[in-house]
Amino acid sequence: MSSLKDKTLLLLGFLSHEQMHGYKLNQLLKLPSNSIQVGKANAYKILAKFEEQGFVTHVEESQRNRPSKTTYSITEAGKIEFKRLLLERLGEYQPFEYPDGVSLDFLALIEPQEALPLLLKRQECLAARCTTLQSYSDDIRTGHPGLNFLTLQAELEFEMLTKLIENLKGR
């Protein structure tokens, strides 16, 4: 599970590139290329805390016949905090949890004919994720090495799942 530090790093990182309104920020948070997930409500809660800490500011922009837009900008203090967190986090290692592995650990307790359709469904979902992650251009990959990790992780999981399905079919 991602920590507040990681969510802070992600949000400040996005705002370090450019000021952006809430809608665009939420679209970025939904990208499958993100290493962590941050929900819309959680993001706004964190942004409000950032404002209290002086890391971001926001401006309300009124538009005719439309709801107002909120545009967020990182402050100098926010840039300093982002760099501090980035340098701190680069030197850390946190093994990730694999919740899907729990069900695989108990696979031997059910019949293969019960498990196979479900594992094939999982394999389809994983194949779709691999396709999505592989579709990013080399330019994007160059600037986001974490995306390469996510791609390799998904491909490895797909390979492992394929072997597991083949073994179950052989029983």
Side-chain angles (χ1 to χ4, degrees):
M1 182 135 156
S2 56
S3 68
L4 179 59
K5 182 193 316 186
D6 294 323
K7 292 173 185 176
T8 298
L9 191 58
L10 182 66
L11 289 167
L12 289 177
F14 284 152
L15 293 173
S16 289
H17 288 289
E18 64 181 286
Q19 67 179 15
M20 60 183 71
H21 54 85
Y23 178 79
K24 182 174 181 180
L25 188 57
N26 282 313
Q27 292 305 108
L28 287 173
L29 291 172
K30 291 179 186 177
L31 290 175
S33 58
N34 290 330
S35 298
I36 62 170
Q37 298 300 307
V38 181
K40 182 178 179 177
N42 197 6
Y44 282 119
K45 182 179 174 184
I46 294 169
L47 286 168
K49 185 176 176 185
F50 287 171
E51 280 204 89
E52 290 173 12
Q53 296 170 317
F55 297 155
V56 300
T57 59
H58 82 273
V59 175
E60 295 284 333
E61 300 172 27
S62 298
Q63 299 177 348
R64 283 188 265 153
N65 302 333
R66 291 184 157 195
S68 63
K69 274 187 181 178
T70 304
T71 302
Y72 295 92
S73 300
I74 192 167
T75 64
E76 224 22 70
K79 290 176 184 178
I80 292 168
E81 179 65 4
F82 171 71
K83 185 173 181 181
R84 184 192 72 74
L85 284 173
L86 179 58
L87 293 173
E88 180 180 307
R89 190 67 179 96
L90 279 172
E92 297 175 350
Y93 172 74
Q94 293 179 358
F96 63 92
E97 293 182 358
Y98 180 60
D100 288 343
V102 175
S103 60
L104 297 177
D105 288 340
F106 298 106
L107 194 56
L109 300 177
I110 60 174
E111 296 298 321
Q113 67 268 20
E114 288 180 284
L116 277 171
L118 299 169
L119 291 174
L120 289 168
K121 181 180 175 184
R122 180 186 284 197
Q123 187 182 42
E124 284 179 30
C125 295
L126 195 49
R129 177 155 173 81
C130 286
T131 300
T132 299
L133 293 171
Q134 292 163 348
S135 71
Y136 285 92
S137 70
D138 289 341
D139 289 343
I140 292 174
R141 289 180 178 288
T142 300
H144 298 84
L147 177 58
N148 291 328
F149 174 79
L150 291 175
T151 304
L152 289 171
Q153 181 186 25
E155 290 170 349
L156 181 61
E157 186 176 357
F158 183 85
E159 182 182 320
M160 185 276 308
L161 191 55
T162 300
K163 288 178 182 175
L164 180 61
I165 290 169
E166 288 170 4
N167 287 342
L168 283 176
K169 285 180 178 178
R171 275 199 208 169

